[in-house]
């Protein structure tokens, strides 16, 4: 799978592009517009320059990695890809439309179409793609260039050969460590993580403590590297809410239901670090 396509150039999409290009692969990233494509390209370069400044990568390697990346605003550029990873916004209608269109665009019958979704059923995406046996979930974690874990999620219709190819690719080509999860909303990590984050948001909403003290409690008292509210800001409050909604719709468990304050913050555009404000204010350097 030497030719990779990535749909979406946000934090996750650009991170996956960087991971694949640093592994020596030819990568095409697709965004919704020319301006968004330029912004995604700049995001990848900024990440590589940070790695260079920390001695993680040499300057000539940065140039070589960037040469292997091309960002466009046309899905047709994915036609010759051997693997396409969808990392668009966590919205079911958007993802279903993309899988329907890309399934028709890919010219290689053996190409794999994967989703980086956190919660949307893989079987639904496969059903609309016209190539259900070659569709599965490949869930990276933020920041993708740093985090070692990748969740691999086959659906009821995913061929065993597809799963074997992706496990080998993630391990041998990307140098990541995969775990396998069943096709249930939230998979492994978010099924444990999101109820914890939502519980912290409810605690903040009820006035138990300030955001800073809730986070300090978990960092200093439980040894977590980051508190739940700061982590929610990093993930994106809209993404946390979308995952919670998806999990609630599947399981109808109250602990998955987003609290009202989270709804209000998303409606107000207070989405966390990417928007400049969430539970904490952020200032771009």
């Amino acid at each position: 799978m030497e030719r990779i396509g990535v749909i979406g150039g946000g934090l996750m999409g650009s991170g996956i592009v960087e991971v694949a290009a640093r592994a020596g692969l030819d990568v095409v990233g697709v965004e919704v517009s020319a301006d968004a494509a330029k912004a995604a390209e700049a995001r990848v370069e900024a990440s590589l320059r940070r790695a260079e400044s920390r001695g993680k990568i040499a300057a000539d390697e940065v140039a070589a990695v960037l040469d292997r990346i091309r960002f466009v605003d046309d899905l047709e550029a994915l036609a010759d890809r051997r693997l396409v990873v969808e990392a668009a916004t966590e919205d079911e209608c958007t993802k279903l439309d993309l899988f329907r269109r890309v399934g028709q665009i890919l010219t290689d019958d053996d190409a794999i179409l994967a989703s980086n979704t956190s919660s949307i059923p893989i079987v639904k995406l496969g059903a609309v793609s016209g190539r259900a046996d070659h569709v599965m979930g490949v869930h990276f974690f933020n920041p993708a260039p740093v985090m070692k874990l990748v969740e691999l999620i086959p659906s009821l219709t995913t061929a065993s050969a597809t799963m074997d190819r992706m496990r080998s690719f993630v391990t041998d080509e990307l140098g990541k460590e995969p775990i396998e999860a069943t096709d249930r909303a939230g998979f492994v990590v978010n099924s444990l993580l999101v109820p914890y984050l939502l519980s912290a948001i409810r605690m903040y909403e009820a006035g138990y403590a300030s955001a800073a003290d809730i986070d300090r409690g978990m960092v200093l008292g439980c040894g977590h590297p980051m508190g739940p509210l700061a982590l929610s800001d990093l993930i994106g409050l809209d993404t946390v809410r979308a995952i919670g909604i998806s999990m609630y719709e599947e399981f109808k468990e109250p602990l998955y239901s987003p609290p009202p304050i989270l709804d209000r913050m998303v409606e107000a555009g207070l989405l966390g670090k990417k928007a400049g404000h969430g539970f904490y204010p952020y200032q771009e350097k």
Side-chain angles (χ1 to χ4, degrees), residues 196 200 210-221 224 226-231 233 279-280:
Y196 160 66
S210 67
D213 282 349
I214 291 170
D215 281 351
R216 280 167 55 84
M218 296 308 295
V219 170
L220 300 179
H224 289 198
M226 181 181 292
L229 300 179
L231 180 55
D233 276 355
F279 290 103
Y280 300 94

Side-chain angles (χ1 to χ4, degrees), residues 16-53:
I16 296 168
V17 167
E18 180 182 338
V19 168
R22 290 180 71 166
L25 306 173
D26 177 77
V27 190
V28 170
V30 179
E31 259 290 5
V32 295
S33 67
D35 287 344
K38 289 180 182 177
E41 187 173 7
R43 193 172 292 117
V44 173
E45 182 169 3
S47 175
L48 288 167
R49 296 301 178 192
R50 284 194 297 271
E52 179 190 356
S53 69

